C-alpha cells in the first residue's frame, strides 16, 4: 500500500501560487523545498542590501530600514567592545603598577638581605621559562 501511495501523482501544494507541477507523492517534499512558487522559499534581496528572506516578504521589504537596523546593531556592538577594551586597558595598567611595586619591594628586600639575590634570579628565570 505504501508503494502504491508513493507512486500517486499529486499537484504541488503551491498550485494556488501558480505552480502547475504534478509530482509523485514521494517526491513532493523535495519539490516543495525547491518550488519557485513557494511563498516561504528563501530569496535574496537584489535591491542592494542582500538580505535573505521568505519570498512573500520581499514586496514589503525596505532596504534602508533594514540597513539602518544593521548599522544600529553594529554601533551598539562597537560601543560594548570599546567599553570592554577600556576596562581591559585599566586592568592592565593596574597589573603593570602592581608588578612595578613588587619589583621595588624585591629590590628593597635584596638590599637588606644579599642572600635573597639568588631568590630573585630564580624568580626571573622562572618568569622567562613561562
Amino acid at each position: 500500500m505504501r508503494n502504491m501511495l508513493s507512486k500517486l501523482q499529486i499537484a504541488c501544494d503551491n498550485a494556488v501560487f501558480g505552480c502547475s507541477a504534478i509530482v509523485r507523492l514521494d517526491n513532493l517534499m523535495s519539490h516543495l523545498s525547491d518550488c519557485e512558487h513557494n511563498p516561504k522559499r528563501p530569496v535574496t534581496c537584489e535591491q542592494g542590501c542582500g538580505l535573505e528572506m521568505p519570498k512573500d516578504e520581499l514586496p514589503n521589504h525596505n532596504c534602508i530600514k533594514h540597513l539602518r537596523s544593521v548599522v544600529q546593531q553594529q554601533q551598539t556592538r562597537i560601543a560594548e567592545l570599546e567599553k570592554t577594551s577600556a576596562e581591559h586597558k585599566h586592568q592592565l595598567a593596574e597589573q603593570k603598577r602592581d608588578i612595578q611595586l613588587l619589583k621595588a619591594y624585591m629590590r628593597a628586600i635584596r638590599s637588606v638581605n644579599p642572600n635573597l639575590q639568588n631568590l630573585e634570579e630564580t624568580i626571573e628565570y622562572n618568569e622567562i621559562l613561562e
Side-chain angles (χ1 to χ4, degrees), residues 6 10 25 43 50 95 123:
S6 70
I10 189 167
L25 184 58
V43 294
Q95 290 171 349
I123 291 172

Side-chain angles (χ1 to χ4, degrees), residues 6-67:
S6 70
K7 293 177 184 176
L8 181 65
Q9 298 287 319
I10 189 167
C12 174
D13 293 351
N14 297 315
V16 295
F17 300 110
C19 183
S20 59
I22 305 291
V23 296
R24 287 176 39 161
L25 184 58
D26 59 350
N27 293 332
L28 181 62
M29 295 309 286
S30 173
H31 170 77
L32 289 175
S33 65
D34 297 331
C35 181
E36 67 182 61
H37 298 282
N38 181 353
K40 296 299 180 189
R41 182 174 57 96
V43 294
T44 302
C45 174
E46 296 176 0
Q47 297 176 6
C49 72
L51 178 68
E52 190 172 279
M53 70 193 87
K55 183 180 177 181
D56 62 345
E57 293 179 16
L58 191 58
N60 299 326
H61 172 63
N62 182 338
C63 289
I64 294 172
K65 183 178 177 181
H66 170 71
L67 291 174

Side-chain angles (χ1 to χ4, degrees), residues 2 8 25 32 36 38 48 57 66 69 73 77 92 107-108 111-112 116 119 124 128 130:
R2 214 177 266 192
L8 181 65
L25 184 58
L32 289 175
E36 67 182 61
N38 181 353
E57 293 179 16
H66 170 71
S69 170
Q73 290 171 356
R77 182 69 177 136
L92 183 60
R107 282 192 293 275
S111 67
V112 172
L116 293 177
L119 176 63
E124 287 178 359
I128 291 171
E130 289 177 7

Side-chain angles (χ1 to χ4, degrees), residues 4 9 13 30 51 81 85 87 93 98 108 122:
M4 289 173 58
Q9 298 287 319
D13 293 351
S30 173
L51 178 68
L81 291 172
S85 176
E87 289 172 357
D98 291 345
T122 303

